[in-house]
Amino acid sequence: MSYNYRSNVVNSEQMRRIEGAIFASGMPVAALMEKAALLTAQQLKKSYSLANFPKIGVIVGPGHNGGDALVIARELHLAGYQVSLFCPIAKLKDLTAQQANYVKHLGLIFQETLESLEDCQLIIDGLFGFGLERTLSGEIAELVDKINSWQKPVISIDIASGIHTDTGEVLGTAIKATHTFCLGLWKRAFFQDLALPYLGKVELIDIGISPLDLETILQDSPPILRVNPDLIRPYLPLPRPLLTHKYQQGHLLIICGSRRYAGGAILAGLGARGSGVGMLSIAVPAALKSLLISHLPEALIIDCPETATGAIAELPLELNNYHVLACGPGLTTENPAIIEQVLDSDKPIILDADALNILAQLGIEKLSSRQNKTILTPHWGEFKRLFPNFSGSQDRINITQEASQQSGAIVLLKGARTIIASPEGKIYIIPESSSALARGGSGDVLTGLIGGFLTQMPDNPPEATALAAYLHAQAGILAAKERTELGVDGVTLANYLFAALKGLN
Ligand SMILES: NC(=O)C1=CN([C@@H]2O[C@H](COP(=O)(O)OP(=O)(O)OC[C@H]3O[C@@H](n4cnc5c(N)ncnc54)[C@H](O)[C@@H]3O)[C@@H](O)[C@H]2O)[C@@H](O)CC1
Ligand SMILES: [K+]
C-alpha cells in the first residue's frame, strides 16, 4: 500500500514515533514547530481577518502545543493583531519557555487572569495537544468551562484540549472549539462521533511528513484510512470496458420488503440503480410486485409467496445464480428461515436492518460456516444487539475493528463518521457526512448501493463498501446543500448519487 498524509489516520503513540523518527533523522524540533505554527498562522489570518478579529486571546499550555500557540501569537502580533496571552501552568517545557521569552521581548503581555481575555473576539486554544495524559480537573477544568461559557469562536491547535487523541472521549471537560487545525496527520479522534461536537470545523495542516517516515512507523499495523477521492477512485468500475454486456457487469439480487415496509424495497432498489450494476433482481412479497415495477422498470422483480401478514414466506430461487445477495430492508423479523437460506449460500452477502436483527437472534457464530464474504451494516442499535460485549465502549473505531475480527465479516458501523472494518484488519473511515442522512430510508439506499458496487468489484469487498458509503455521504452533502438538511428524503438521496459519482471522476 502507499502511504500518504491525507489518507493515513494515526493514534497518539504512532504520531509520537513518527515525530521521533523525523527528529532522529536531523530535523530540529524547533524547526518543525516553527513550520507547523507558521502554516497554521497563515490559515488563521486567511479565515479570521484583522478587520473582523482585531483582538485575539491565546491560551498557552506547558508543552509543545503551548509552544505552537506562542509562535502563532507572535505571527499574529507581527501582522497587527492585538494579542493577549494567558498561561495557567507555570512550568513550561524548555522550547515553550524559550518561545515565551521571545514574545515577552516583543512586548506581548501574559495576563494575570483569564478574565482579561474576555473582550477578545477570538480565542486560540494551545493548552494541550496529543500529549494530554490525564483527566482535566481543578483550576484547569474551570478555565476550560469558563472559555466555553463565553461562546466565542475558539480555534484549537492540533486538537481541542481535553479530548483524548485516540478515543475522542472527553477527559473531564474539553474546549468546545469552533475550528480545529490538525497538525501533520489526522488523529483518530477526528473520526470518533463523541469528539465531533468539540472539534468544530476541521482542517489538516500539511507539514510535509514524507511517505517514507509514515511507512517506517505504520507498516507493522493494519492501516486506518480516511476515504478521499484519490484513495477510492482507482477502485471505481469506470471506465467500463468497450466490449461488455449486462451480465458481465454483474447480477445483484436484493431480498427485501413486506406489505408493512414496502418503501424500503424501493429505496434499496434505487440505491442499487445508482451503482450502475448490470443486472438487478429484487425478490419481494407477491403483493409488492407491481409497485416495484412502477419504480424500477429496469429491474427484474421476483414475486415470492407471502405470510399472512405480508412478509416473504419463502424464496423460490436458486440463490447461487446471482453474484451478490443484499438482504434486509423492509423485511420484518417474521421469517428467520429466509435469512438462514441466505447465510447458507456460497455468494457474498450484505445484511442490513431486519436481516441483522434476525442474525442477532440466530447468533453471530452462524457466520463462521460461511464460505464467502459477509458485510454487516448496523446502526448503533443493531450493532449492540449483534455484539452486546462491545456496547460499553465509546471507541467506535476499536469496536468496529473488534466486531469484524470476532465475526469474520466486514462491519460497517453507521454514524456521523461511518467506520468500515474488514477481518484482515483494514479500516476505512468516511470523513464527512450530513445529518440530513439521519432519516428513515437512507440506510436502505446504502444497502442497495453496496450491493451494486460489490457486484461490480468482486475482488475488493472492503473497498466496494467504502466506495458506496463515501458516495452515499457525498450525495447527502450535495442534496442538503441544495435542499437543506430537511429536504433529503430517500428518493432524493438516491437521485443525487450520480452527482456524487461525477464528483469523484
Ligand atoms: N507531532 C508533530 O509533528 C508536531 C507536534 N507539535 C505540537 O506538539 C504537541 C504535543 O506536544 P507535547 O508532547 O509537549 O504535549 P502537549 O503540549 O499536548 O502537552 C503536554 C504537557 O501537558 C502536561 N499535561 C498533560 N495532561 C495534563 C493535564 N490533564 N493537566 C495538566 N497538565 C497536563 C504534561 O505534563 C506536559 O507538560 C502537538 O499536539 C502539537 O501541538 C508541533 O509543535 C510540531 C509538529
Ligand atoms: K489544543
Side-chain angles (χ1 to χ4, degrees):
M1 79 158 268
S2 62
Y3 292 85
N4 183 309
Y5 73 91
R6 276 192 214 89
S7 311
N8 285 98
V9 177
V10 296
N11 61 29
S12 51
E13 193 249 343
Q14 289 168 329
M15 187 74 230
R16 212 172 267 300
R17 285 172 56 211
I18 290 164
E19 192 190 56
I22 296 172
F23 297 148
S25 314
M27 167 69 93
V29 178
L32 194 62
M33 177 183 283
E34 189 73 12
K35 185 171 185 184
L38 281 185
L39 290 165
T40 308
Q42 254 172 33
Q43 284 305 106
L44 259 164
K45 284 185 277 183
K46 261 193 230 155
S47 305
Y48 304 93
S49 69
L50 178 58
N52 293 329
F53 300 90
K55 225 172 161 188
I56 294 190
V58 180
I59 312 295
V60 180
H64 287 178
N65 198 251
D68 292 346
L70 287 164
V71 176
I72 293 168
R74 182 192 76 206
E75 290 303 302
L76 295 177
H77 166 78
L78 294 173
Y81 292 82
Q82 195 183 328
V83 180
S84 281
L85 303 163
F86 183 66
C87 181
I89 297 173
K91 180 147 180 36
L92 305 182
K93 276 192 177 176
D94 291 349
L95 181 55
T96 307
Q98 277 178 294
Q99 302 285 13
N101 286 339
Y102 187 60
V103 299
K104 274 184 211 156
H105 160 78
L106 291 179
L108 276 91
I109 295 184
F110 281 85
Q111 303 289 351
E112 295 289 319
T113 63
L114 176 67
E115 282 68 25
S116 311
L117 273 55
E118 200 170 350
D119 62 341
C120 294
Q121 286 94 20
L122 183 91
I123 300 294
I124 294 177
D125 153 36
L127 195 50
F128 304 114
F130 64 71
L132 178 69
E133 49 204 16
R134 42 188 199 277
T135 300
L136 303 193
S137 60
E139 283 176 14
I140 296 291
E142 279 169 32
L143 169 129
V144 165
D145 292 341
K146 178 60 124 204
I147 293 170
N148 288 341
S149 76
W150 289 344
Q151 307 220 334
K152 291 181 192 290
V154 179
I155 318 302
S156 282
I157 302 167
D158 210 13
I159 191 156
S161 300
I163 296 295
H164 191 290
T165 310
D166 302 340
T167 66
E169 280 165 288
V170 175
L171 296 176
T173 185
I175 289 283
K176 277 208 154 178
T178 49
H179 194 160
T180 300
F181 290 99
C182 178
L183 304 183
L185 295 169
W186 289 108
K187 326 282 182 316
R188 287 169 68 130
F190 286 81
F191 310 100
Q192 300 277 17
D193 282 8
L194 264 184
L196 299 184
Y198 293 86
L199 299 173
K201 181 181 166 189
V202 298
E203 214 169 311
L204 183 70
I205 299 290
D206 169 19
I207 61 172
I209 295 180
S210 81
L212 195 71
D213 286 322
L214 280 179
E215 186 173 356
T216 311
I217 307 300
L218 299 181
Q219 63 184 346
D220 296 333
S221 30
I224 301 186
L225 297 169
R226 174 184 175 276
V227 179
N228 57 66
D230 290 342
L231 182 85
I232 209 73
R233 196 181 296 112
Y235 295 99
L236 261 186
L238 279 175
R240 279 197 166 171
L242 190 60
L243 299 178
T244 186
H245 59 74
K246 60 192 177 193
Y247 290 105
Q248 280 175 331
Q249 298 307 318
H251 194 166
L252 168 67
L253 172 67
I254 310 182
I255 301 157
C256 54
S258 57
R259 222 180 296 156
R260 184 153 178 223
Y261 304 118
I266 297 169
L267 292 171
L270 293 176
R273 170 194 276 178
S275 74
V277 63
M279 279 298 295
L280 173 61
S281 289
I282 308 179
V284 288
L288 267 54
K289 181 168 182 168
S290 55
L291 176 73
L292 265 287
I293 290 174
S294 69
H295 284 275
L296 291 141
E298 75 277 28
L300 235 144
I301 310 299
I302 300 160
D303 46 332
C304 302
E306 299 188 8
T307 64
T309 57
I312 296 176
E314 59 178 284
L315 290 170
L317 294 168
E318 178 41 72
L319 296 182
N320 288 333
N321 287 343
Y322 301 88
H323 293 110
V324 172
L325 313 174
C327 180
L331 214 54
T332 80
T333 51
E334 201 181 315
N335 190 0
I338 58 168
I339 301 302
E340 300 211 49
Q341 196 179 336
V342 168
L343 289 172
D344 285 343
S345 83
D346 296 335
K347 297 294 169 178
I349 63 173
I350 298 135
L351 301 182
D352 182 36
D354 278 331
L356 295 175
N357 293 328
I358 292 174
L359 178 63
Q361 289 164 17
L362 297 172
I364 199 82
E365 321 72 61
K366 272 267 171 196
L367 298 181
S368 58
S369 50
R370 294 217 68 242
Q371 299 301 314
N372 210 319
K373 293 280 179 204
T374 305
I375 299 175
L376 308 176
T377 61
H379 57 58
W380 183 235
E382 289 156 350
F383 185 91
K384 281 193 289 187
R385 286 190 281 280
L386 283 168
F387 302 101
N389 299 352
F390 302 139
S391 60
S393 168
Q394 310 254 34
D395 183 340
R396 289 165 46 93
I397 297 178
N398 240 2
I399 59 173
T400 310
Q401 192 172 32
E402 284 178 22
S404 175
Q405 303 282 321
Q406 191 197 83
S407 61
I410 293 171
V411 177
L412 175 152
L413 176 58
K414 293 170 184 166
R417 297 294 173 266
T418 288
I419 318 280
I420 298 142
S422 75
E424 311 80 60
K426 248 187 219 174
I427 295 188
Y428 286 105
I429 298 178
I430 307 304
E432 51 178 1
S433 185
S434 166
S435 46
L437 295 176
R439 181 162 172 170
S442 74
D444 303 331
V445 174
L446 178 61
T447 306
L449 192 61
I450 297 173
F453 279 125
L454 183 57
T455 308
Q456 298 171 84
M457 301 161 58
D459 299 333
N460 302 100
E463 288 72 24
T465 311
L467 172 62
Y470 180 77
L471 290 175
H472 182 258
Q474 288 298 315
I477 291 168
L478 291 172
K481 229 176 237 168
E482 210 160 307
R483 301 170 56 108
T484 84
E485 285 166 351
L486 306 184
V488 190
D489 56 278
V491 174
T492 300
L493 175 66
N495 286 338
Y496 274 82
L497 289 171
F498 83 94
L501 196 54
K502 266 184 88 176
L504 256 192
N505 249 315

PDB file of all heavy atoms in Angstrom, residues 12 16 22 32 46 73 77 112 130-131 133 163 170 176 206 215 232 318 366 386 389 393 453 484 489:
ATOM      1  N   SER A  12      -2.016   8.517  19.020  1.00  0.00           N
ATOM      2  CA  SER A  12      -1.012   9.434  19.568  1.00  0.00           C
ATOM      3  C   SER A  12       0.362   8.766  19.657  1.00  0.00           C
ATOM      4  O   SER A  12       1.393   9.398  19.430  1.00  0.00           O
ATOM      5  CB  SER A  12      -1.443   9.972  20.931  1.00  0.00           C
ATOM      6  OG  SER A  12      -1.806   8.918  21.761  1.00  0.00           O
ATOM      7  N   ARG A  16       3.715  10.121  17.875  1.00  0.00           N
ATOM      8  CA  ARG A  16       4.942  10.405  18.621  1.00  0.00           C
ATOM      9  C   ARG A  16       6.141   9.680  17.997  1.00  0.00           C
ATOM     10  O   ARG A  16       7.230  10.236  17.890  1.00  0.00           O
ATOM     11  CB  ARG A  16       4.766   9.979  20.088  1.00  0.00           C
ATOM     12  CG  ARG A  16       5.547  10.875  21.012  1.00  0.00           C
ATOM     13  CD  ARG A  16       5.288  10.641  22.460  1.00  0.00           C
ATOM     14  NE  ARG A  16       4.251  11.478  23.046  1.00  0.00           N
ATOM     15  CZ  ARG A  16       4.263  12.806  23.093  1.00  0.00           C
ATOM     16  NH1 ARG A  16       5.240  13.490  22.536  1.00  0.00           N
ATOM     17  NH2 ARG A  16       3.278  13.470  23.660  1.00  0.00           N
ATOM     18  N   ILE A  22      11.399  11.606  12.606  1.00  0.00           N
ATOM     19  CA  ILE A  22      11.761  12.831  11.874  1.00  0.00           C
ATOM     20  C   ILE A  22      12.880  13.559  12.622  1.00  0.00           C
ATOM     21  O   ILE A  22      13.882  13.967  12.029  1.00  0.00           O
ATOM     22  CB  ILE A  22      10.530  13.750  11.701  1.00  0.00           C
ATOM     23  CG1 ILE A  22       9.480  13.061  10.822  1.00  0.00           C
ATOM     24  CG2 ILE A  22      10.923  15.109  11.120  1.00  0.00           C
ATOM     25  CD1 ILE A  22       8.152  13.791  10.732  1.00  0.00           C
ATOM     26  N   LEU A  32      10.460  22.137  13.219  1.00  0.00           N
ATOM     27  CA  LEU A  32       9.160  21.544  12.882  1.00  0.00           C
ATOM     28  C   LEU A  32       8.033  22.333  13.558  1.00  0.00           C
ATOM     29  O   LEU A  32       6.977  22.573  12.971  1.00  0.00           O
ATOM     30  CB  LEU A  32       9.110  20.074  13.303  1.00  0.00           C
ATOM     31  CG  LEU A  32       7.958  19.277  12.708  1.00  0.00           C
ATOM     32  CD1 LEU A  32       8.044  19.231  11.177  1.00  0.00           C
ATOM     33  CD2 LEU A  32       7.908  17.852  13.248  1.00  0.00           C
ATOM     34  N   LYS A  46      -6.032  34.025   7.072  1.00  0.00           N
ATOM     35  CA  LYS A  46      -6.960  33.990   5.926  1.00  0.00           C
ATOM     36  C   LYS A  46      -8.411  33.890   6.399  1.00  0.00           C
ATOM     37  O   LYS A  46      -9.284  34.570   5.896  1.00  0.00           O
ATOM     38  CB  LYS A  46      -6.657  32.744   5.061  1.00  0.00           C
ATOM     39  CG  LYS A  46      -5.814  33.063   3.847  1.00  0.00           C
ATOM     40  CD  LYS A  46      -5.830  31.881   2.898  1.00  0.00           C
ATOM     41  CE  LYS A  46      -4.407  31.530   2.501  1.00  0.00           C
ATOM     42  NZ  LYS A  46      -4.234  30.157   2.101  1.00  0.00           N
ATOM     43  N   ALA A  73       0.942  33.220  18.162  1.00  0.00           N
ATOM     44  CA  ALA A  73       0.706  34.524  18.805  1.00  0.00           C
ATOM     45  C   ALA A  73       1.686  35.558  18.262  1.00  0.00           C
ATOM     46  O   ALA A  73       1.318  36.699  17.946  1.00  0.00           O
ATOM     47  CB  ALA A  73       0.850  34.387  20.322  1.00  0.00           C
ATOM     48  N   HIS A  77       0.704  38.877  16.179  1.00  0.00           N
ATOM     49  CA  HIS A  77       1.151  40.172  16.705  1.00  0.00           C
ATOM     50  C   HIS A  77       1.892  40.959  15.609  1.00  0.00           C
ATOM     51  O   HIS A  77       1.611  42.140  15.364  1.00  0.00           O
ATOM     52  CB  HIS A  77       2.058  39.932  17.920  1.00  0.00           C
ATOM     53  CG  HIS A  77       2.851  41.125  18.353  1.00  0.00           C
ATOM     54  ND1 HIS A  77       2.300  42.162  19.078  1.00  0.00           N
ATOM     55  CD2 HIS A  77       4.152  41.455  18.150  1.00  0.00           C
ATOM     56  CE1 HIS A  77       3.234  43.073  19.305  1.00  0.00           C
ATOM     57  NE2 HIS A  77       4.364  42.670  18.753  1.00  0.00           N
ATOM     58  N   GLU A 112      -2.643  38.210  33.964  1.00  0.00           N
ATOM     59  CA  GLU A 112      -2.711  37.529  35.265  1.00  0.00           C
ATOM     60  C   GLU A 112      -3.949  36.651  35.386  1.00  0.00           C
ATOM     61  O   GLU A 112      -3.945  35.650  36.091  1.00  0.00           O
ATOM     62  CB  GLU A 112      -2.760  38.573  36.403  1.00  0.00           C
ATOM     63  CG  GLU A 112      -1.504  39.421  36.541  1.00  0.00           C
ATOM     64  CD  GLU A 112      -0.336  38.605  37.083  1.00  0.00           C
ATOM     65  OE1 GLU A 112      -0.576  37.797  37.995  1.00  0.00           O
ATOM     66  OE2 GLU A 112       0.792  38.763  36.576  1.00  0.00           O
ATOM     67  N   PHE A 130      -1.608  16.334  21.597  1.00  0.00           N
ATOM     68  CA  PHE A 130      -1.675  14.876  21.785  1.00  0.00           C
ATOM     69  C   PHE A 130      -0.888  14.411  23.011  1.00  0.00           C
ATOM     70  O   PHE A 130      -0.836  13.216  23.300  1.00  0.00           O
ATOM     71  CB  PHE A 130      -1.284  14.113  20.509  1.00  0.00           C
ATOM     72  CG  PHE A 130       0.130  14.297  20.042  1.00  0.00           C
ATOM     73  CD1 PHE A 130       1.187  13.737  20.738  1.00  0.00           C
ATOM     74  CD2 PHE A 130       0.396  15.015  18.876  1.00  0.00           C
ATOM     75  CE1 PHE A 130       2.493  13.891  20.307  1.00  0.00           C
ATOM     76  CE2 PHE A 130       1.699  15.181  18.435  1.00  0.00           C
ATOM     77  CZ  PHE A 130       2.753  14.615  19.153  1.00  0.00           C
ATOM     78  N   GLY A 131      -0.297  15.337  23.751  1.00  0.00           N
ATOM     79  CA  GLY A 131       0.418  14.968  24.977  1.00  0.00           C
ATOM     80  C   GLY A 131      -0.488  14.935  26.206  1.00  0.00           C
ATOM     81  O   GLY A 131      -0.023  14.627  27.302  1.00  0.00           O
ATOM     82  N   GLU A 133      -2.415  13.654  29.031  1.00  0.00           N
ATOM     83  CA  GLU A 133      -2.294  12.291  29.544  1.00  0.00           C
ATOM     84  C   GLU A 133      -3.204  11.986  30.718  1.00  0.00           C
ATOM     85  O   GLU A 133      -3.248  10.864  31.197  1.00  0.00           O
ATOM     86  CB  GLU A 133      -0.831  12.008  29.925  1.00  0.00           C
ATOM     87  CG  GLU A 133      -0.244  13.110  30.783  1.00  0.00           C
ATOM     88  CD  GLU A 133       1.285  13.194  30.705  1.00  0.00           C
ATOM     89  OE1 GLU A 133       1.867  12.615  29.771  1.00  0.00           O
ATOM     90  OE2 GLU A 133       1.860  13.830  31.585  1.00  0.00           O
ATOM     91  N   ILE A 163      -9.829  16.572  24.820  1.00  0.00           N
ATOM     92  CA  ILE A 163     -10.288  15.419  24.028  1.00  0.00           C
ATOM     93  C   ILE A 163      -9.154  14.398  23.922  1.00  0.00           C
ATOM     94  O   ILE A 163      -8.018  14.754  23.604  1.00  0.00           O
ATOM     95  CB  ILE A 163     -10.723  15.870  22.607  1.00  0.00           C
ATOM     96  CG1 ILE A 163     -11.935  16.801  22.672  1.00  0.00           C
ATOM     97  CG2 ILE A 163     -11.003  14.671  21.707  1.00  0.00           C
ATOM     98  CD1 ILE A 163     -13.196  16.157  23.188  1.00  0.00           C
ATOM     99  N   VAL A 170     -14.143  12.741  26.135  1.00  0.00           N
ATOM    100  CA  VAL A 170     -13.904  13.985  26.861  1.00  0.00           C
ATOM    101  C   VAL A 170     -13.273  13.609  28.195  1.00  0.00           C
ATOM    102  O   VAL A 170     -13.880  12.888  28.991  1.00  0.00           O
ATOM    103  CB  VAL A 170     -15.249  14.721  27.093  1.00  0.00           C
ATOM    104  CG1 VAL A 170     -15.031  15.959  27.946  1.00  0.00           C
ATOM    105  CG2 VAL A 170     -15.894  15.069  25.767  1.00  0.00           C
ATOM    106  N   LYS A 176     -14.706  23.556  23.659  1.00  0.00           N
ATOM    107  CA  LYS A 176     -15.639  23.385  22.524  1.00  0.00           C
ATOM    108  C   LYS A 176     -15.156  24.286  21.404  1.00  0.00           C
ATOM    109  O   LYS A 176     -15.542  25.455  21.322  1.00  0.00           O
ATOM    110  CB  LYS A 176     -17.051  23.764  22.944  1.00  0.00           C
ATOM    111  CG  LYS A 176     -17.772  22.646  23.636  1.00  0.00           C
ATOM    112  CD  LYS A 176     -19.265  22.738  23.446  1.00  0.00           C
ATOM    113  CE  LYS A 176     -19.835  21.344  23.580  1.00  0.00           C
ATOM    114  NZ  LYS A 176     -21.222  21.214  23.488  1.00  0.00           N
ATOM    115  N   ASP A 206      -0.731  20.580   6.438  1.00  0.00           N
ATOM    116  CA  ASP A 206       0.280  19.693   5.854  1.00  0.00           C
ATOM    117  C   ASP A 206       1.662  20.216   6.214  1.00  0.00           C
ATOM    118  O   ASP A 206       2.081  21.253   5.711  1.00  0.00           O
ATOM    119  CB  ASP A 206       0.069  19.664   4.327  1.00  0.00           C
ATOM    120  CG  ASP A 206       1.221  18.995   3.603  1.00  0.00           C
ATOM    121  OD1 ASP A 206       1.973  18.254   4.256  1.00  0.00           O
ATOM    122  OD2 ASP A 206       1.351  19.231   2.388  1.00  0.00           O
ATOM    123  N   GLU A 215       5.749   5.169   6.384  1.00  0.00           N
ATOM    124  CA  GLU A 215       5.874   3.732   6.159  1.00  0.00           C
ATOM    125  C   GLU A 215       6.697   3.072   7.266  1.00  0.00           C
ATOM    126  O   GLU A 215       6.332   2.008   7.767  1.00  0.00           O
ATOM    127  CB  GLU A 215       6.499   3.479   4.786  1.00  0.00           C
ATOM    128  CG  GLU A 215       6.520   1.998   4.451  1.00  0.00           C
ATOM    129  CD  GLU A 215       6.973   1.719   3.034  1.00  0.00           C
ATOM    130  OE1 GLU A 215       7.203   2.670   2.268  1.00  0.00           O
ATOM    131  OE2 GLU A 215       7.102   0.518   2.709  1.00  0.00           O
ATOM    132  N   ILE A 232     -10.052   6.358  -3.367  1.00  0.00           N
ATOM    133  CA  ILE A 232     -11.113   5.429  -3.764  1.00  0.00           C
ATOM    134  C   ILE A 232     -11.301   5.366  -5.289  1.00  0.00           C
ATOM    135  O   ILE A 232     -11.791   4.379  -5.819  1.00  0.00           O
ATOM    136  CB  ILE A 232     -12.427   5.812  -3.013  1.00  0.00           C
ATOM    137  CG1 ILE A 232     -13.296   4.591  -2.792  1.00  0.00           C
ATOM    138  CG2 ILE A 232     -13.191   6.937  -3.637  1.00  0.00           C
ATOM    139  CD1 ILE A 232     -12.787   3.670  -1.742  1.00  0.00           C
ATOM    140  N   GLU A 318     -32.849 -20.153  -6.868  1.00  0.00           N
ATOM    141  CA  GLU A 318     -31.502 -20.702  -6.676  1.00  0.00           C
ATOM    142  C   GLU A 318     -30.585 -19.507  -6.394  1.00  0.00           C
ATOM    143  O   GLU A 318     -30.197 -18.784  -7.314  1.00  0.00           O
ATOM    144  CB  GLU A 318     -31.074 -21.476  -7.932  1.00  0.00           C
ATOM    145  CG  GLU A 318     -29.666 -22.045  -7.873  1.00  0.00           C
ATOM    146  CD  GLU A 318     -29.280 -22.644  -6.514  1.00  0.00           C
ATOM    147  OE1 GLU A 318     -29.796 -23.736  -6.165  1.00  0.00           O
ATOM    148  OE2 GLU A 318     -28.480 -21.996  -5.791  1.00  0.00           O
ATOM    149  N   LYS A 366     -23.208 -17.941  13.628  1.00  0.00           N
ATOM    150  CA  LYS A 366     -23.745 -18.501  12.378  1.00  0.00           C
ATOM    151  C   LYS A 366     -22.865 -18.157  11.183  1.00  0.00           C
ATOM    152  O   LYS A 366     -22.854 -18.849  10.172  1.00  0.00           O
ATOM    153  CB  LYS A 366     -25.139 -17.908  12.132  1.00  0.00           C
ATOM    154  CG  LYS A 366     -26.243 -18.678  12.769  1.00  0.00           C
ATOM    155  CD  LYS A 366     -26.787 -19.677  11.766  1.00  0.00           C
ATOM    156  CE  LYS A 366     -27.764 -20.623  12.420  1.00  0.00           C
ATOM    157  NZ  LYS A 366     -28.003 -21.793  11.581  1.00  0.00           N
ATOM    158  N   LEU A 386     -26.181  -7.154  17.959  1.00  0.00           N
ATOM    159  CA  LEU A 386     -25.309  -8.163  17.346  1.00  0.00           C
ATOM    160  C   LEU A 386     -24.083  -8.464  18.201  1.00  0.00           C
ATOM    161  O   LEU A 386     -23.623  -9.599  18.274  1.00  0.00           O
ATOM    162  CB  LEU A 386     -24.798  -7.656  15.991  1.00  0.00           C
ATOM    163  CG  LEU A 386     -25.747  -7.713  14.815  1.00  0.00           C
ATOM    164  CD1 LEU A 386     -25.176  -6.903  13.653  1.00  0.00           C
ATOM    165  CD2 LEU A 386     -25.989  -9.149  14.369  1.00  0.00           C
ATOM    166  N   ASN A 389     -21.223  -7.580  23.715  1.00  0.00           N
ATOM    167  CA  ASN A 389     -19.986  -7.448  24.510  1.00  0.00           C
ATOM    168  C   ASN A 389     -19.337  -6.086  24.391  1.00  0.00           C
ATOM    169  O   ASN A 389     -18.642  -5.642  25.284  1.00  0.00           O
ATOM    170  CB  ASN A 389     -18.909  -8.429  24.020  1.00  0.00           C
ATOM    171  CG  ASN A 389     -19.351  -9.830  24.161  1.00  0.00           C
ATOM    172  OD1 ASN A 389     -20.398 -10.069  24.759  1.00  0.00           O
ATOM    173  ND2 ASN A 389     -18.591 -10.753  23.612  1.00  0.00           N
ATOM    174  N   SER A 393     -18.229   0.226  25.249  1.00  0.00           N
ATOM    175  CA  SER A 393     -17.110   1.071  24.819  1.00  0.00           C
ATOM    176  C   SER A 393     -17.587   2.256  23.990  1.00  0.00           C
ATOM    177  O   SER A 393     -18.590   2.192  23.298  1.00  0.00           O
ATOM    178  CB  SER A 393     -16.142   0.240  23.978  1.00  0.00           C
ATOM    179  OG  SER A 393     -15.218   1.078  23.345  1.00  0.00           O
ATOM    180  N   PHE A 453     -22.135  -2.075  -5.997  1.00  0.00           N
ATOM    181  CA  PHE A 453     -20.688  -1.950  -6.212  1.00  0.00           C
ATOM    182  C   PHE A 453     -19.965  -3.271  -5.959  1.00  0.00           C
ATOM    183  O   PHE A 453     -19.034  -3.624  -6.665  1.00  0.00           O
ATOM    184  CB  PHE A 453     -20.096  -0.836  -5.343  1.00  0.00           C
ATOM    185  CG  PHE A 453     -20.301   0.528  -5.938  1.00  0.00           C
ATOM    186  CD1 PHE A 453     -20.921   1.542  -5.219  1.00  0.00           C
ATOM    187  CD2 PHE A 453     -19.899   0.799  -7.237  1.00  0.00           C
ATOM    188  CE1 PHE A 453     -21.120   2.796  -5.778  1.00  0.00           C
ATOM    189  CE2 PHE A 453     -20.088   2.048  -7.811  1.00  0.00           C
ATOM    190  CZ  PHE A 453     -20.704   3.050  -7.073  1.00  0.00           C
ATOM    191  N   THR A 484     -31.429  21.952   1.835  1.00  0.00           N
ATOM    192  CA  THR A 484     -31.329  21.982   3.304  1.00  0.00           C
ATOM    193  C   THR A 484     -31.347  20.548   3.853  1.00  0.00           C
ATOM    194  O   THR A 484     -31.744  19.604   3.157  1.00  0.00           O
ATOM    195  CB  THR A 484     -32.429  22.788   4.048  1.00  0.00           C
ATOM    196  OG1 THR A 484     -33.574  21.965   4.232  1.00  0.00           O
ATOM    197  CG2 THR A 484     -32.770  24.072   3.347  1.00  0.00           C
ATOM    198  N   ASP A 489     -35.088  13.345   1.452  1.00  0.00           N
ATOM    199  CA  ASP A 489     -35.744  12.047   1.638  1.00  0.00           C
ATOM    200  C   ASP A 489     -34.960  10.988   0.862  1.00  0.00           C
ATOM    201  O   ASP A 489     -34.071  11.308   0.063  1.00  0.00           O
ATOM    202  CB  ASP A 489     -37.184  12.137   1.135  1.00  0.00           C
ATOM    203  CG  ASP A 489     -37.187  12.586  -0.302  1.00  0.00           C
ATOM    204  OD1 ASP A 489     -37.085  13.812  -0.565  1.00  0.00           O
ATOM    205  OD2 ASP A 489     -37.192  11.716  -1.183  1.00  0.00           O
TER     206      ASP A 489
END
